[in-house]
Every structure is written in C-alpha cells, then in structure tokens.
Amino acid sequence: MATMARGSSVVYRRLLIHQYRRRCSSAQEARSLATLRLLPTPTLDRKLQVCSRSFQMLGRTLHGSAACHRAVVQFKLSDIGEGITEVTVKEWYVKEGDRVSQFDSICEVQSDKASVTITSRYDGVVTKLYYDTDDIALVGKPLVDIETESTSDVIQEEDVVETPAMAREEHTHQEIKGLKTQATPAVRRLAMENNIKLSEVVGSGKDGRILKEDILNFLAKQTGAILPPSPFGEIRTSSPAPTGPHRSPLSPVPKPPPLAASLRDLAGKDVTEPLKGFQKAMVKSMMAALSIPHLGLCEQVDLSRLVALRAELKTEARGHGLKLSYMPFFIKAASLCLTRFPILNASLDESCQNITYKASHNIGVAMDTSLGLLVPTVKNVQLLSILEVAQELNRLQELGAAGQLGTADLSGGTFSLSNIGSIGGTYAKPVILPPEVAIGALGKIQVLPRFDVSGHVTRAHIMNVSWSADHRIIDGATMCRFSNMWRDFLQNPASMLLHLK
Ligand code: CO6
C-alpha cells in the first residue's frame, strides 16, 4: 500500500511538472525538467502552485472526486533556531504502522540547548522512522514518513508531492516541550504502548498536564477495568539527585546514590559511548572558556542577618505560593553591583577589539536538572523585585526538574552564579561561560565561630564565594570591589532597600 501510494505521488509530481511545462508559455518560464528539480524549494513550490487549479481537475479525473488519495509525506526536522544543525533523538512516541493525528507527539529530540517535542502536522500512518533512539538527526533531513489520507478534493499540493521539495517549515511541526499536550516522556510512552492518543486524554495535572493516572483512567474507561486508588503522583523520567542539605518541597524525593553504578561496572568492562546533546555542548563551551585567562578571587560572607531575614520573609513568600531561598538575594545583590560595575556584565568580541556593555542583567543560574547541569537565566534582574526573582527561579527550577527548560530560558545570559553549596561544596573555581566575562560560585552556608565587636565568640552563618573573571578586560581590583559591594549588601541586607527601584 505504501509503495502504491509512493508510486502515485511520484506520478502526481510528474503530472504537476508536466502541467507546469504545458502552461508556462514564455521562454523564461519554460525551464527544463532538470532545472525545475534544481530550483530552490519555495520557488519551485510557487511555480507549481500556478498549475494547481488545473491539476486538481486532473486529480479528480484520475481518482474520482470521492476517491481516497494516499500519499507519503517526508516529515522533516525543521530549523530549531540558535544555529542548531543536529539533535539527538531521545525517544520515539510512535512506531512504524502507528496511526497519528495532527498535534500527536512524534518524538522527543534534544539539542545542545533544549529539549523539543516534535508533533505531527498530518493525520496518517507512520511508514518509516529514519533514526533509532540516541541517533543524531540532522535539521532539514527527513525524520519520519507519514502516509496521509485525503480525498482529492481537499488535498493540498504539499501533502502529495513526494520529493523533498517543500519549504522546510511546511513539512515539519514542532513545539517546545510543555506548550501543547503536556506529559512526561514516561507518560507519553505509556500512552503509546496502549495506543492512546494524548490529544484525547484530559489532563488532571497542573495546567492540564497529563498524568499517569489520566492514562490509566482513560484505559480503564475503554476496557471497563477497575483501578485501585493510585498512590503515586505524576511519574517523572529521571529525577535529579538530592542537591542540598535541605530539599525544598518543589524538589523530587531524594534517593540515596547507588552503591555500584551498574553490574557493568562490577564486571570491570570499559564502556565507550559518543558524546551527545548537553554533554557535547559542554565540551564546546568549555573549550571556548579555555581561551579566556581567568582570574580568581575568594571571599567570606557573614550571612547571619540574611539568614534571620529570610526566615521571616519565607512565610510571606509562601503566602504568594513561592519558595524563597537565598538565591534571589544573591542574584538581586549581584544585579545591584553590576549597575555599579558594568564591565562585569559585558562581553568581548572574538577579535578582542570591542567590549559590549549589556543593558540587561540576565543572570544565569547553574542548575542541577534531570538532564544534567544547565544554566537557565533569570532575565532583566535589574527590573525585578527579590520576590519576582524568586518567582522566576521557582519557574525555572520546576522546568529543570521536569527536563523542560527551553531555548529561551537557556540563552541570553550576561553573568552567572553557581550555588555549589546547595550540593555541599565549600570552595570552587568556576569557569566563565563565554560570551560572559564573570561568574561566582557560592559555597555552603556553615555555622562557624566568629568574634563580635566586643571580642566575644558568636555563632555566625558563613559562606564562601569564589569569583572568576576574564582577565583580558577585568582586573583584580575591579573584581575585588565588586565582591566587597556584593558581600556588604548580603551582610547587611536592609541596605539593599536603599537601591531597589
Ligand atoms: N548553603 C546552605 N543552604 C543552602 C544553600 C547553601 N549554599 N543553597 C541552598 N540552600 C538551601 C535553600 O535555602 C533551601 O532551604 P529551605 O528553603 O530552608 O528548604 C534548600 O537548600 C534547597 O534550596 P534549592 O536548591 O531548592 O534552591 P536554591 O534557590 O537555593 O538553589 C539552584 C537553586 C538551582 C541553584 C539549586 O537547586 C541547584 O540546582 N543547585 C546545584 C547547582 C550546581 O549544580 N552547581 C554546580 C555547578 S558546577 O559550580 C560549579 C565551579 C563548579 C564546581
């Protein structure tokens, strides 16, 4: 059937081109068949449309007006932006022979910047998957073949032309995870294994997210089965490991680290595997960072007052439905200091001839996500209140835990902070993320003895901060002044009030 359909679309295309040649009378337009095939896709498509009307009549003659026309569409991976040319296929939600409808999820791909769900633009049957899981898929190349079913009356030219001569956008359809049918890959897999279309399931999770129970209930309704009350919430693919001494309510349930990574390790066999996705991106950005001469500076900050203040404000923030950790204070204080030291919120061009001082304080936060270390950015911190920073951080953390951070969240950083202390680290040597020029790593807050002004030993909440800066344009004195100002804001958080807009 697929072969027949493919054959008929070849015939269709040949007829279309034939029609075009017959109708185009001017010498300029009457190109040879070979030339037509070499035309840029949009041009060819435009020209083919000239003949579409007469073709539709011809199509009706060939198939009969009510006849069902089958055609195989090569569904290509369209441009994801950000100069991404390849992605890793993380998971297929369909297999060959599956019927799909528009907006059904086809697969999950991961670029070095974000995770993207590819959804179908067509109703039809999947006849071919071009890649296996974990293969590298190329932008602009076919991802799947879908055999579409349309009556010749409603058929669109682009649906029936078999050769890859369509504008890329027209043959692909993709969404950043979570914008349409929201469900974790595990839930999607469960749906797929039971031949359930996600578009037919009503999600009971936050913002209509489809949970495992929704699939099971849907299945139960179809089969008449009675399900026991479900003890679980939404299943997640891979929860991040616990990252701090105290986990927040938003964080997944901590799991102890495995004693041995796998049986494979016990057997003592070496394993070599290709670098993919975010790991590949890390190689690229860290190799670029290697060309930056880093200067380092470490400082101790007494956060005792901030610890007391946060304890007070935490309940208030909870009233707004927000978790208030120390990070929003660290981030806001950094932004206040960047206003005074704009060179730390700048970038140097590749030829080292120009510095660009960035207007926005887009502060990247190193985040331990279910996909590994990512650095989403809190944008325009200079315009945000501490509570608004907390709100944005909460949002990013939730997306990070679900592996759903998108390109917009992960790009545009101008300065970064890395809270290694939430994992338990004390000192660090952070690596600058080009094109940024500075980064700070925050150690764990420890209760340590200190002398007060009267010389008495007191309990103090001490945190180490380790700064790295691009020594080509930032000198140690500037970094130190910035660090002093940042430290002073946090040691005396009330003083930040004077500078908040
Ligand atoms: N000390 C003590 N307690 C802390 C600290 C530190 N440094 N950081 C967080 N916490 C507390 C925090 O206040 C929360 O307490 P409660 O509100 O009382 O529950 C709790 O730990 C959990 O905080 P959470 O981590 O959920 O939120 P936070 O806003 O502090 O941090 C985050 C957000 C995105 C930074 C964090 O979730 C995360 O992913 N941390 C890991 C970052 C990471 O992987 N860094 C390594 C990068 S590589 O830096 C690097 C230079 C090299 C070594």
Side-chain angles (χ1 to χ4, degrees):
M1 177 66 80
T3 323
M4 273 175 62
R6 220 172 284 136
S8 87
S9 9
V10 171
V11 170
Y12 187 106
R13 185 171 172 79
R14 282 195 190 129
L15 282 167
L16 204 56
I17 291 170
H18 181 66
Q19 277 289 102
Y20 170 80
R21 294 178 73 189
R22 283 184 47 198
R23 285 176 64 101
C24 298
S25 53
S26 80
Q28 192 195 4
E29 280 188 308
R31 294 169 191 260
S32 70
L33 191 61
T35 317
L36 270 175
R37 284 198 172 121
L38 291 173
L39 277 175
T41 295
T43 318
L44 176 55
D45 288 345
R46 260 199 314 280
K47 290 187 179 296
L48 292 178
Q49 274 168 14
V50 172
C51 307
S52 66
R53 289 272 169 266
S54 54
F55 176 78
Q56 277 173 11
M57 287 169 60
L58 186 62
R60 271 195 283 274
T61 318
L62 275 178
H63 300 287
S65 59
C68 186
H69 182 98
R70 289 176 188 279
V72 175
V73 178
Q74 271 190 339
F75 188 100
K76 290 191 272 173
L77 180 65
S78 76
D79 194 350
I80 295 172
E82 300 272 328
I84 293 164
T85 56
E86 59 178 39
V87 294
T88 305
V89 178
K90 295 307 290 179
E91 188 166 10
W92 285 105
Y93 301 132
V94 293
K95 51 188 182 318
E96 287 175 3
D98 275 3
R99 182 164 289 281
V100 288
S101 304
Q102 291 182 48
F103 299 110
D104 279 356
S105 298
I106 298 268
C107 65
E108 189 76 23
V109 299
Q110 189 185 300
S111 76
D112 53 7
K113 299 206 171 69
S115 202
V116 175
T117 300
I118 309 292
T119 59
S120 176
R121 186 172 178 155
Y122 303 98
D123 296 337
V125 175
V126 176
T127 54
K128 178 170 177 176
L129 305 184
Y130 280 80
Y131 300 100
D132 286 330
T133 307
D134 283 339
D135 278 358
I136 302 290
L138 301 176
V139 166
K141 297 285 178 212
L143 197 59
V144 292
D145 283 353
I146 298 179
E147 187 184 81
T148 60
E149 280 177 17
S150 335
T151 61
S152 49
D153 278 339
V154 295
I155 219 155
Q156 304 285 311
E157 279 82 27
E158 63 263 34
D159 288 340
V160 292
V161 175
E162 187 197 36
T163 55
M166 303 305 304
R168 284 202 307 211
E169 289 302 323
E170 290 176 15
H171 264 233
T172 58
H173 194 220
Q174 58 203 24
E175 56 171 302
I176 298 294
K177 272 182 99 171
L179 287 186
K180 295 248 169 68
T181 43
Q182 293 195 66
T184 59
V187 171
R188 289 178 191 278
R189 173 169 287 281
L190 183 68
M192 187 187 95
E193 283 167 358
N194 289 286
N195 286 322
I196 295 173
K197 285 182 192 161
L198 285 177
S199 53
E200 290 174 4
V201 180
V202 179
S204 64
K206 194 170 171 241
D207 299 329
R209 175 179 286 269
I210 299 169
L211 309 181
K212 184 177 178 183
E213 297 96 298
D214 298 327
I215 302 289
L216 296 177
N217 286 332
F218 187 88
L219 202 58
K221 271 190 211 138
Q222 283 188 330
T223 59
I226 298 166
L227 294 172
S230 170
F232 43 75
E234 182 184 357
I235 50 172
R236 292 191 181 277
T237 34
S238 53
S239 303
T243 56
H246 332 273
R247 296 302 306 159
S248 76
L250 283 174
S251 310
V253 181
K255 266 195 296 181
L259 292 177
S262 70
L263 276 178
R264 204 168 59 184
D265 298 344
L266 291 177
K269 286 197 182 127
D270 296 348
V271 177
T272 305
E273 54 187 26
L275 285 181
K276 287 177 189 151
F278 292 119
Q279 276 180 323
K280 236 180 168 179
M282 188 141 85
V283 171
K284 224 196 273 175
S285 61
M286 289 301 102
M287 292 306 283
L290 205 57
S291 65
I292 302 174
H294 283 55
L295 75 77
L297 177 86
C298 298
E299 180 59 273
Q300 280 198 346
V301 191
D302 184 344
L303 293 178
S304 303
R305 283 184 186 166
L306 181 64
V307 169
L309 179 68
R310 187 195 72 123
E312 257 178 58
L313 298 178
K314 223 171 120 175
T315 328
E316 179 136 356
R318 209 175 291 132
H320 293 275
L322 296 174
K323 180 192 75 158
L324 182 67
S325 65
Y326 299 105
M327 279 307 277
F329 296 93
F330 300 155
I331 293 170
K332 188 65 196 180
S335 170
L336 293 176
C337 301
L338 290 176
T339 307
R340 174 73 182 76
F341 298 95
I343 186 87
L344 287 154
N345 195 55
S347 69
L348 181 64
D349 70 5
E350 274 181 27
S351 57
C352 298
Q353 298 299 314
N354 303 290
I355 298 175
T356 303
Y357 296 91
K358 302 287 176 74
S360 301
H361 298 169
N362 296 342
I363 301 193
V365 179
M367 192 173 280
D368 190 22
T369 75
S370 58
L371 297 175
L373 176 69
L374 294 178
V375 189
T377 55
V378 180
K379 305 269 190 324
N380 287 308
V381 177
Q382 79 281 6
L383 304 175
L384 303 181
S385 67
I386 290 171
L387 200 63
E388 286 167 334
V389 173
Q391 185 176 30
E392 184 59 1
L393 193 60
N394 283 194
R395 183 185 75 82
L396 294 171
Q397 257 185 297
E398 275 189 69
L399 289 176
Q404 290 185 339
L405 284 166
T407 313
D409 292 321
L410 293 168
S411 52
T414 59
F415 178 92
S416 288
L417 288 176
S418 172
N419 185 356
I420 193 72
S422 69
I423 300 181
T426 309
Y427 311 93
K429 195 176 165 208
V431 180
I432 296 165
L433 291 172
E436 297 172 21
V437 292
I439 181 171
L442 317 162
K444 63 173 180 259
I445 304 168
Q446 305 174 85
V447 179
L448 294 172
R450 286 292 182 270
F451 293 107
D452 66 14
V453 280
S454 330
H456 299 122
V457 175
T458 58
R459 283 163 51 92
H461 291 82
I462 304 295
M463 183 184 78
N464 294 294
V465 57
S466 314
W467 302 107
S468 290
D470 185 338
H471 212 344
R472 292 173 300 182
I473 57 166
I474 296 159
D475 55 41
T478 306
M479 190 69 250
C480 187
R481 289 193 183 102
F482 173 93
S483 176
N484 291 346
M485 191 179 198
W486 186 81
R487 179 200 60 200
D488 292 347
F489 275 137
L490 294 165
Q491 293 197 153
N492 184 14
S495 68
M496 275 202 260
L497 285 176
L498 297 176
H499 303 273
L500 295 178
K501 300 223 163 75

